[in-house]
Amino acid sequence: MSVEQARAAALRTGTAQVVEAIPVGQVSLIDPALVHEVPMPRTNTLYLNTESGPFADPAVRAAAAAAIQRASIVETVYEGRADVAAGLLGPAMPWASPLRDGTAYRDELAAHATAPAKVDGVRISLGTFTDRAELPEVAVQLEQQLEAAGFVVEQDVREYQFIEADALDGAFDAFILSRATVIDSGDPVAYLASDFSCAGTFNLSQFCDAEVDALIDAASQAPAGDQRRSAIMQAEAAILSRNAAIPMLHERVIQGEAAGVTGVDRDPRERTLITVTSTIK
């Protein structure tokens, strides 16, 4: 029995009263009244290597983006317990979605839109890790979708500690990551700078674009509030238009609480759980 299965079993049998991070594959085995879901600022994203290999060509990246069926992944792998991604930032930041309807956002998307290339037998390497239970299954779904579009996919799936260095070095053409989109500061600018700026320290896409850097910098200097949020979304649109990363879905915290438990934190950032107000009747 895996650690994830053991957690779910502990809730079912009453061995544990509070269980965090229940895998979606175990939820159907638990009384629905004990399960609580909260949108979290975490996006399951496919990072494409923009520096070398087939995805250095924007048209080939566009072909991969067009091939991905997000809703199918949500329904089959996550059993509907996730949200289809429209962008890098999800429902945990409710201000993001309305801004995607704005003229500035749409214009930024259109400015660098590239027609998908016709691919036939283009070989790509796809990496991910086993530490999050759903990711290997996501890789299987992506392989099928990309191969239906003409790619030939070779998977490499390992524990995260054994694959991170290769991913950061650009050893893969594509890499699936479940990524927190607000980091310590709670500000998405830190995530954008880390993952998508030329000097980014977690740049899995090996991505560097002067215009995107300028937009991220502008967002970092904008005052908190509507102005900063608009600048963040313009940077998001610029990143998406270049297909440096393809957001697929936004995950949810799935937490189990036994009957009679009160005062437990349902924290979308997975930082707090049991508090001074938590009680068991």
Side-chain angles (χ1 to χ4, degrees):
M1 180 183 294
S2 69
V3 173
E4 293 85 359
Q5 291 171 325
R7 285 202 298 266
L11 183 67
R12 291 198 307 272
T13 61
T15 305
Q17 285 72 46
V18 180
V19 176
E20 61 179 343
I22 300 173
V24 292
Q26 296 290 310
V27 175
S28 63
L29 305 176
I30 299 171
D31 180 350
L34 308 184
V35 176
H36 305 275
E37 298 182 38
V38 182
M40 63 192 303
R42 178 175 288 278
T43 303
N44 190 316
T45 303
L46 180 66
Y47 289 77
L48 301 182
N49 188 334
T50 64
E51 185 178 57
S52 62
F55 292 131
D57 183 344
V60 179
R61 296 201 298 273
I68 294 174
Q69 301 169 33
R70 296 167 172 83
S72 176
I73 295 171
V74 168
E75 290 303 318
T76 57
V77 179
Y78 288 82
E79 300 180 8
R81 298 178 184 276
D83 298 288
V84 174
L88 296 168
L89 306 180
M93 283 158 280
W95 52 265
S97 182
L99 292 175
R100 294 192 181 103
D101 295 328
T103 300
Y105 190 92
R106 295 198 303 268
D107 288 349
E108 189 65 54
L109 277 179
H112 292 274
T114 303
K118 292 184 178 180
V119 294
D120 185 9
V122 174
R123 294 185 172 274
I124 59 170
S125 57
L126 173 65
T128 194
F129 51 98
T130 59
D131 303 54
R132 296 190 77 88
E134 294 79 20
L135 293 189
E137 196 173 345
V138 172
V140 171
Q141 292 289 318
L142 276 183
E143 178 178 355
Q144 293 172 355
Q145 294 176 9
L146 291 168
E147 291 197 335
F151 292 95
V152 176
V153 180
E154 180 180 346
Q155 284 192 46
D156 189 341
V157 181
R158 314 175 213 161
E159 288 184 30
Y160 188 75
Q161 63 177 323
F162 299 123
I163 204 168
E164 180 188 46
D166 284 345
L168 289 171
D169 286 343
F172 302 104
D173 298 312
F175 194 81
I176 306 165
L177 182 72
S178 176
R179 179 68 164 128
T181 55
V182 289
I183 313 177
D184 292 341
S185 65
D187 185 351
V189 173
Y191 151 65
L192 297 179
S194 173
D195 289 32
F196 303 110
S197 71
C198 295
T201 57
F202 202 75
N203 194 335
L204 295 174
S205 295
Q206 317 299 310
F207 180 68
C208 182
D209 184 284
E211 182 179 329
V212 172
D213 266 17
L215 291 172
I216 294 173
D217 186 60
S220 72
Q221 297 184 48
D226 291 343
Q227 186 176 339
R228 189 177 186 90
R229 289 173 174 179
S230 294
I232 288 168
M233 294 309 291
Q234 190 168 0
E236 181 197 80
I239 293 162
L240 295 181
S241 71
R242 292 157 173 83
N243 289 308
I246 303 169
M248 296 181 290
L249 58 97
H250 307 295
E251 297 183 23
R252 301 173 190 166
V253 174
I254 304 178
Q255 186 167 301
E257 300 169 21
V261 171
T262 61
V264 175
D265 233 0
R266 297 171 188 167
D267 180 9
R269 296 175 69 182
E270 298 181 294
R271 291 188 171 187
T272 60
L273 187 61
I274 304 301
T275 71
V276 294
T277 64
S278 302
T279 62
I280 302 174
K281 293 181 181 179

